[in-house]
Amino acid sequence: MNELLKHMQKLDLKVSLKEAEKMLPAFNNPDTQSDRIKNLAHHLSSVIQSELDGEMFFQLESSKTEYWHPAWLVDSPIYTLFPRAHEEIQCAGRCYAYGESTACVFHLMRVIDSGLCVVADSLKINHDARNWSAIGTKIQKKMEEKYQTKTDDWKRSEPFYASILTDIQAISRGHRNPVLHEVEKKYTDPEARYLLAVTEAFMGHLAENGMREKQ
């Protein structure tokens, strides 16, 4: 009975909870006849059923529950170094879990954009959320400079920025532009799940290379 009360509280079944509380003395009394217990249980079941009829419940696919859960990625460097982006990627995860794949991708593009904002700061250039090309152009120009003119810091970090350039080109061409500018563009579950993995890897890559959001 105590477990049932806990579930009623979680589901906010106020009417059923009041009925159950009135029945507690009888349930807890060892002298209560079994027929009385049976009748009370039947009545309580009817009250619960009636109250639940006014509620709506969603069932998630077992393969998607990880993305819905508030603990998703909490133990990752994304949570520590990119807290605002982490909130956004959790929104994406919930959209994916609820079957809203296009909305999921939209949130993921916002996550990517927040990461690129940090990359732009590291390159000492302004970031325009409407256009990621400035970051790619800056990286491309730095990579094309003569090796002798490059600083030691850039030489060490060039492989990292080269990977960022590849990511920008792929994500912008294949996903960012369609999801933002093509209303008829829809994404499937497999596409959304793939981009969840890509975005997690991208943000994790930034974190591993010392990038983090401004406080």
Side-chain angles (χ1 to χ4, degrees), residues 42-184:
H42 180 73
H43 173 67
L44 182 57
S45 176
S46 298
V47 173
I48 293 173
Q49 185 62 52
S50 295
E51 194 165 9
L52 285 175
D53 283 343
E55 303 292 335
M56 181 176 290
F57 295 88
F58 290 94
Q59 180 179 352
L60 300 178
E61 296 176 25
S62 58
S63 61
K64 293 183 174 182
T65 54
E66 172 191 5
Y67 300 96
W68 169 87
H69 202 283
W72 181 49
L73 297 180
V74 167
D75 59 350
S76 76
I78 299 173
Y79 176 78
T80 305
L81 301 178
F82 294 91
R84 291 188 295 276
H86 176 262
E87 291 180 10
E88 196 73 32
I89 199 171
Q90 285 214 321
C91 288
R94 287 193 293 273
C95 286
Y96 171 69
Y98 292 137
E100 298 290 346
S101 297
T102 301
C104 169
V105 175
F106 183 84
H107 282 292
L108 291 176
M109 294 304 101
R110 287 165 60 96
V111 175
I112 296 289
D113 188 72
S114 69
L116 289 177
C117 184
V118 176
V119 173
D121 285 342
S122 73
L123 293 168
K124 297 180 172 55
I125 61 174
N126 293 326
H127 175 57
D128 185 351
R130 297 167 298 178
N131 190 347
W132 294 350
S133 63
I135 298 173
T137 300
K138 176 71 173 182
I139 295 174
Q140 190 71 51
K141 286 182 177 179
K142 291 289 292 182
M143 291 175 64
E144 291 173 352
E145 291 178 1
K146 292 183 179 180
Y147 185 80
Q148 295 84 349
T149 64
K150 296 177 181 179
T151 65
D152 290 339
D153 284 344
W154 177 262
K155 290 175 184 176
R156 284 191 294 268
S157 61
E158 185 168 286
F160 163 71
Y161 285 108
S163 67
I164 296 299
L165 177 60
T166 301
D167 290 337
I168 291 173
Q169 293 169 338
I171 296 172
S172 182
R173 181 172 57 253
H175 303 290
R176 179 184 185 271
N177 292 334
V179 77
L180 293 180
H181 304 299
E182 300 175 15
V183 176
E184 68 278 6

Side-chain angles (χ1 to χ4, degrees), residues 23 27 32-47:
M23 297 177 184
F27 277 106
T32 304
Q33 298 295 315
S34 59
D35 285 346
R36 172 66 173 158
I37 294 292
K38 181 179 178 180
N39 290 335
L40 289 173
H42 180 73
H43 173 67
L44 182 57
S45 176
S46 298
V47 173

